[in-house]
Amino acid sequence: MKIWAYASFLIIGTILVFIPNIDLYVSSLFYTKNQGFYLCRESELFFLYKSVNVLAVVLSVAVIGSLIYIQMVKKQLVVLTTRSVLYVLLVFGIGSGIIVNAFLKENVGRARPSQIVEFGGHKTFSKPFEVTDQCKTNGSFTCGHCSFAFGFIAFYFLFRKRWILFGAAAYGVVVSATRIMQGGHFLSDAFFSFLVMMATADLLYRFWFAKLQPPAVSHE
C-alpha cells in the first residue's frame, strides 16, 4: 500500500477523532424520535449483517480444510500454499480477532449509537479512542463485523488483483453502512476497523510473508 494512501487515512482518522460530532451527525440521518433507528429491522440490512457470521464459518472451514489438504497431499492447493493460507488466518486472527474484538472492543468501553442519550438511550457519547466505562464488554469501538468484512483485503495482498481490492473494500463499506444505519456503530468505528485490517494485512505481508516467499505477479 502506497504511503500517500496511509497519509490520507491518517488525515481522515484525525478528523474523526478531533471532530467527533461527525459521528453524531451521520448516525442522526437514520434516527427519528418516534421510530428510533428505523432501518434496524429491515430484512435486507439484517441479511447483510448476518452474512458476516456465515462467511466467518465458511472461511474457517476453508482455511482449516486447505491446511489439512496441503499437509496430507504435500502440494499446494491450486494457487494456495501453507504460508499463504496461514497469512490469511493471521490477518483475520490478529486484526479482527485480537486487535479489534479482544483488545479495543473489550477495553475502550464506547457506547453504541442506540445506547446514548442523543438517540434515546441513557449512556454518554464518547469520541474514538476515549476510554470510558459506558460499556463493560463488547463496546462500540471498533466494529467487529466491519473488521471481518474488510479482512478480505488480505487476498489482494496475496494476488495483487485490483478487482479483489475493490470487492473487499465494497463489502466492507456495505457492512459498515449496515451497522451505522442499524444504530449499532458509529462511522469512526467502521473506519478504524478498516484501518486496522488494512495495516495488519499490509504489515504481515511485508514483514512475514513477502520475506520468505516472492510476491505474486499481477498480469493486469
Side-chain angles (χ1 to χ4, degrees):
M1 187 59 60
K2 303 294 185 181
I3 189 65
W4 63 262
Y6 280 115
S8 301
F9 299 149
L10 182 60
I11 291 171
I12 295 171
T14 301
I15 292 172
L16 291 173
V17 170
F18 287 97
I19 311 179
N21 281 344
I22 293 175
D23 275 337
L24 292 174
Y25 172 74
V26 172
S27 292
S28 72
L29 298 176
F30 309 101
Y31 173 85
T32 65
K33 288 186 177 180
N34 293 331
Q35 296 178 294
F37 284 96
Y38 51 87
L39 295 174
C40 68
R41 294 182 180 85
E42 290 293 321
S43 58
E44 292 84 358
L45 296 185
F46 183 78
F47 170 79
L48 290 170
Y49 170 47
K50 288 300 181 182
S51 71
V52 173
N53 301 65
V54 175
L55 286 177
V57 174
V58 172
L59 183 67
S60 299
V61 172
V63 166
I64 294 173
S66 298
L67 286 174
I68 293 174
Y69 175 86
I70 293 170
Q71 293 304 309
M72 290 181 64
V73 180
K74 301 300 180 182
K75 66 178 181 179
Q76 69 182 47
L77 177 61
V78 191
V79 294
L80 294 176
T81 63
T82 298
R83 182 162 293 276
S84 61
V85 174
L86 287 175
Y87 166 74
V88 172
L89 180 63
L90 287 172
V91 170
F92 281 94
I94 294 174
S96 183
I98 296 175
I99 298 176
V100 172
N101 285 286
F103 180 69
L104 292 173
K105 288 178 68 66
E106 295 301 315
N107 292 283
V108 175
R110 189 185 202 188
R112 298 172 185 274
S114 60
Q115 297 173 322
I116 64 175
V117 173
E118 288 84 349
F119 301 122
H122 61 278
K123 296 187 177 182
T124 302
F125 170 74
S126 57
K127 63 184 182 181
F129 294 104
E130 180 183 350
V131 178
T132 73
D133 61 354
Q134 295 303 296
C135 282
K136 299 298 182 183
T137 185
N138 194 29
S140 183
F141 189 81
T142 61
C143 176
H145 282 77
C146 302
S147 68
F148 183 88
F150 282 119
F152 287 95
I153 287 175
F155 291 99
Y156 164 72
F157 287 97
L158 281 179
F159 303 115
R160 301 293 171 170
K161 300 291 186 180
R162 285 191 292 272
W163 68 266
I164 297 178
L165 177 62
F166 295 146
Y171 181 56
V173 168
V174 168
V175 171
S176 298
T178 296
R179 297 302 288 134
I180 293 169
M181 288 188 284
Q182 290 175 321
H185 284 283
F186 293 104
L187 173 63
S188 62
D189 298 334
F191 176 77
F192 283 107
S193 280
F194 157 73
L195 202 54
V196 166
M197 298 309 294
M198 175 66 78
T200 301
D202 192 2
L203 293 175
L204 272 175
Y205 187 86
R206 290 173 186 267
F207 298 108
W208 182 70
F209 186 87
K211 283 187 177 296
L212 297 176
Q213 181 165 310
V217 177
S218 174
H219 298 290
E220 293 184 358

